[in-house]
């Protein structure tokens, strides 16, 4: 073999190697997710229920507080009315004393025939 032939053969062989077809394959790499879709759904539902429960508890506490304030206001009103009733009851007892009635009767010119004035009581059928 001639030196030129060997060089041609060497050049033709080496030129063929870089022209090899490159095989390209696309590989889809799936990223490993930290939370799956199902877990996201479960966590979302639990979060929603937790928020709804918190809103309900706060609403219930607010309505209870409002109700307690109204009850305290009504109790105060009842106490004031009881004090007023006791005062009026005392006044009624003072005004219905037999001595006072006899004195007013004498001042108006009425004569008391019997010296004993009795207090009449009224019975309520409640």
């Amino acid at each position: 073999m001639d030196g030129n032939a060997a060089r041609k053969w060497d050049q033709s062989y080496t030129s063929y190697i870089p022209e090899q077809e490159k095989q390209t394959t696309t590989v889809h790499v799936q990223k490993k997710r930290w939370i799956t879709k199902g877990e996201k759904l479960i966590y979302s539902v639990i979060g929603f229920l937790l928020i709804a429960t918190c809103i309900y508890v706060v609403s219930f506490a607010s309505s209870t507080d409002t109700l307690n304030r109204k009850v305290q206001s009504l109790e105060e009103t009842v106490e004031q009315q009881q004090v007023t009733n006791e005062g009026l009851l005392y006044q009624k007892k003072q005004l219905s004393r037999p001595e006072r009635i006899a004195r007013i009767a004498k001042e108006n010119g009425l004569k008391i025939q019997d010296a004993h004035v009795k207090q009449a009581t009224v019975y309520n059928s409640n």
Side-chain angles (χ1 to χ4, degrees):
M1 252 191 159
D2 189 352
N4 281 336
R7 283 188 190 148
K8 283 183 184 180
W9 182 79
D10 187 36
Q11 286 176 356
S12 68
Y13 181 73
T14 56
S15 66
Y16 179 72
I17 292 176
E19 293 178 12
Q20 285 184 351
E21 294 181 20
K22 295 182 181 178
Q23 295 179 349
T24 56
T25 57
T26 56
V27 177
H28 296 287
V29 179
Q30 291 183 345
K31 295 179 183 177
K32 177 153 173 88
R33 294 186 177 159
W34 187 60
I35 300 175
T36 64
K37 289 181 183 180
E39 288 174 335
K40 284 182 185 178
L41 179 66
I42 291 171
Y43 292 149
S44 298
V45 169
I46 290 172
F48 176 75
L49 290 176
L50 184 64
I51 290 172
T53 303
C54 290
I55 290 172
Y56 175 74
V57 167
V58 169
S59 173
F60 183 74
S62 174
S63 64
T64 303
D65 182 53
T66 303
L67 186 63
N68 283 338
R69 289 177 192 260
K70 287 181 182 179
V71 167
Q72 286 176 349
S73 174
L74 288 174
E75 285 177 350
E76 185 177 318
T77 304
V78 166
E79 287 178 11
Q80 289 175 353
Q81 190 63 42
Q82 284 178 344
V83 168
T84 303
N85 288 348
E86 289 173 0
L88 291 173
L89 186 62
Y90 177 75
Q91 221 175 19
K92 177 187 156 198
K93 286 182 181 180
Q94 291 296 323
L95 293 174
S96 65
R97 286 191 340 244
E99 299 87 27
R100 180 182 171 275
I101 294 172
R103 181 177 49 86
I104 292 174
K106 284 182 184 179
E107 288 174 0
N108 289 323
L110 296 173
K111 293 182 183 178
I112 300 176
Q113 293 177 355
D114 195 358
H116 299 290
V117 177
K118 294 183 181 179
Q119 185 174 3
T121 58
V122 178
Y123 292 103
N124 290 335
S125 61
N126 291 346

